[in-house]
Amino acid sequence: WLPSLQLVRRGSKAVTRHWKAMHFQRQKLMAVTEYIAPRPAVPPRCLTPRRETVEKEDGYRRLLQRQVQEVFRDNRMVAVCQYNSMPDEEVVLMRHYLRKHNIEVKFVLNEIVRPVLSQSKYKNLLPLFVARNILLVSPETKAKEMLRVLKGVPQVNLLGACIDDTILSRQGVENFAKLPSLEASQGQTVGALSLLPSQTSSLLQRGPAHLTALLDQHLRRLRDEGMGGMAGGTESMAGGTG
Amino acid sequence: RKMASKISVVLRPVKSIVVRFCPFETNVESTRKFLQCINHKKIQATNRNCEVTADVRHDGSEPVVDVKFADGDRLIMKGANLTTVEMLRALGSRCSAKDIKEEQKSKKKSH
């Protein structure tokens, strides 16, 4: 049984090498049955985004946080500086000069330092940790030398420091550097305190010393007069009083 | 997102830049990032004579960028409510405008 209608109009077969236009009915069918992607009622941009923060390698992160905690615990002086990109040789030079004063340079990531700080007592250092920072840590408090080295490096700007659990601004650090050393100030206090007691003893002795001086003078005058003619009576009297 | 480092600024017409901020305030982030970008090698290479100074204070004042040009003009940008990209674009546009003016002047002189 052969079909009654055989479309042989143009003479080209169904499968051609050129792009053959679809039959109009087929075109209509294809247009009607096109795929429409399902869209949510509210576009996802308008909704609050789901927090997809992945715990970035938990172990490494914890290690770095532990290191930061140790740094804050073991060092008396912790200075926070802003780091603008410097050529590598200058970084090495700066590290070298600071090492001479026992100051270590540490590069830190804000996202690690922030949670550590917020849980410790250094909450006021939190606003400092924005943009790239470095920490200069040292068990000694050599602020003057640190400031001198940093002056030679224009691309590192001192923002603030925490010295002996006291948070200082840049002016605070400069004032701290101008202070005399601990031994000198201790000596100054001791000297000031002992000044008054040293004066007291001389003050107390002033009265009797004056009296003895006057009596000595009197003795001498009597002796001189006594040499002139008086008997041993005055001498004995002078000897009794003297 | 790292657009800030891709904006190139030609610092030739600039004499000095002073960035003043108070790091313990909370509105200084864009100013600090601006300072970082300005200190980048490429931008510093366009003008070695330009002095970039950072003034760190603790008096609760606003973050300010003070740019002095070689022909006496001054650009003051208050960074408290500006983003880094905006500040860089503003500076970049002014620098290129001045550059074009200088080139035109030098061309006129040579004619």
Side-chain angles (χ1 to χ4, degrees):
Chain A
W1 180 78
L2 285 168
S4 47
L5 273 173
Q6 276 178 350
L7 297 162
V8 201
R9 198 168 168 215
R10 290 297 181 88
S12 59
K13 302 196 169 85
V15 180
T16 50
R17 284 190 191 176
H18 61 269
W19 191 45
K20 190 172 156 185
M22 284 189 226
H23 197 273
F24 188 60
Q25 281 173 347
R26 191 177 174 204
Q27 265 181 357
K28 282 198 273 189
L29 192 70
M30 297 292 275
V32 166
T33 54
E34 255 176 30
Y35 176 67
I36 299 175
R39 267 195 233 161
V42 185
R45 275 184 299 171
C46 298
L47 295 167
T48 47
R50 268 186 299 136
R51 289 297 165 95
E52 292 188 27
T53 47
V54 182
E55 288 284 316
K56 192 178 66 169
E57 287 186 63
D58 223 6
Y60 187 51
R61 213 157 188 245
R62 260 183 282 145
L63 172 74
L64 290 172
Q65 282 175 345
R66 225 184 309 146
Q67 276 183 349
V68 173
Q69 276 170 348
E70 276 172 18
V71 154
F72 270 101
R73 227 184 333 155
D74 299 337
N75 293 295
R76 275 178 71 193
M77 173 169 85
V78 178
V80 184
C81 306
Q82 165 147 348
Y83 172 75
N84 307 314
S85 50
M86 246 158 62
D88 291 326
E89 309 94 41
E90 288 193 27
V91 176
V92 171
L93 261 176
M94 186 185 79
R95 270 206 144 118
H96 171 71
Y97 282 124
L98 287 172
R99 255 257 162 257
K100 280 194 176 168
H101 301 300
N102 201 8
I103 302 178
E104 212 181 296
V105 177
K106 283 199 185 286
F107 283 83
V108 288
L109 280 179
N110 294 334
E111 56 189 6
I112 291 175
V113 186
R114 283 187 149 244
V116 173
L117 282 185
S118 53
Q119 282 163 9
S120 72
K121 51 183 173 170
Y122 303 106
K123 293 211 177 71
N124 290 319
L125 284 175
L126 266 177
L128 286 184
F129 284 93
V130 173
R132 273 185 105 184
N133 301 300
I134 54 172
L135 289 180
L136 308 177
V137 300
S138 163
E140 304 148 23
T141 54
K142 290 189 174 169
K144 219 186 287 184
E145 286 84 359
M146 186 178 77
L147 280 175
R148 217 179 295 157
V149 173
L150 287 177
K151 231 191 272 185
V153 185
Q155 291 102 330
V156 171
N157 315 114
L158 176 67
L159 301 173
C162 174
I163 301 184
D164 282 335
D165 286 347
T166 342
I167 295 185
L168 299 167
S169 70
R170 200 214 166 95
Q171 265 84 34
V173 176
E174 286 169 10
N175 294 340
F176 179 80
K178 285 187 202 148
L179 285 176
S181 70
L182 189 64
E183 290 84 18
S185 37
Q186 273 173 348
Q188 269 180 359
T189 359
V190 165
L193 283 172
S194 58
L195 185 65
L196 289 173
S198 61
Q199 276 179 350
T200 342
S201 63
S202 54
L203 261 176
L204 284 173
Q205 284 179 351
R206 241 201 346 206
H210 196 56
L211 183 62
T212 27
L214 280 172
L215 286 172
D216 272 332
Q217 238 191 357
H218 187 67
L219 247 181
R220 255 180 260 130
R221 221 190 311 143
L222 285 176
R223 235 180 245 152
D224 292 337
E225 284 174 17
M227 292 291 209
M230 289 279 187
T234 25
E235 275 181 333
S236 61
M237 196 172 70
T241 43
Chain B
R1 267 201 202 162
K2 285 190 178 176
M3 276 234 45
S5 51
K6 287 189 188 161
I7 299 178
S8 60
V9 175
V10 183
L11 288 180
R12 227 172 295 133
V14 176
K15 199 163 58 168
S16 75
I17 303 182
V18 178
V19 184
R20 197 182 321 144
F21 60 90
C22 175
F24 288 93
E25 296 283 320
T26 40
N27 50 4
V28 294
E29 182 174 346
S30 54
T31 321
R32 279 181 70 174
K33 290 223 168 96
F34 177 78
L35 177 65
Q36 266 187 324
C37 295
I38 274 208
N39 269 315
H40 207 269
K41 279 179 270 185
K42 283 187 199 163
I43 299 182
Q44 288 277 305
T46 58
N47 186 357
R48 295 267 173 208
N49 295 331
C50 177
E51 310 151 1
V52 180
T53 24
D55 194 1
V56 180
R57 302 220 178 150
H58 192 43
D59 44 8
S61 55
E62 300 269 311
V64 169
V65 177
D66 192 352
V67 187
K68 290 206 183 77
F69 291 96
D71 50 2
D73 283 353
R74 224 172 137 185
L75 170 65
I76 299 182
M77 294 195 275
K78 301 205 173 158
N81 292 316
L82 290 172
T83 65
T84 323
V85 173
E86 282 174 11
M87 291 202 271
L88 278 169
R89 277 215 192 102
L91 183 62
S93 62
R94 277 179 186 74
C95 284
S96 45
K98 292 212 189 247
D99 231 5
I100 291 172
K101 241 196 278 177
E102 273 185 41
E103 279 182 26
Q104 282 178 345
K105 268 191 205 167
S106 59
K107 273 188 194 167
K108 277 187 192 168
K109 277 186 189 167
S110 62
H111 276 319

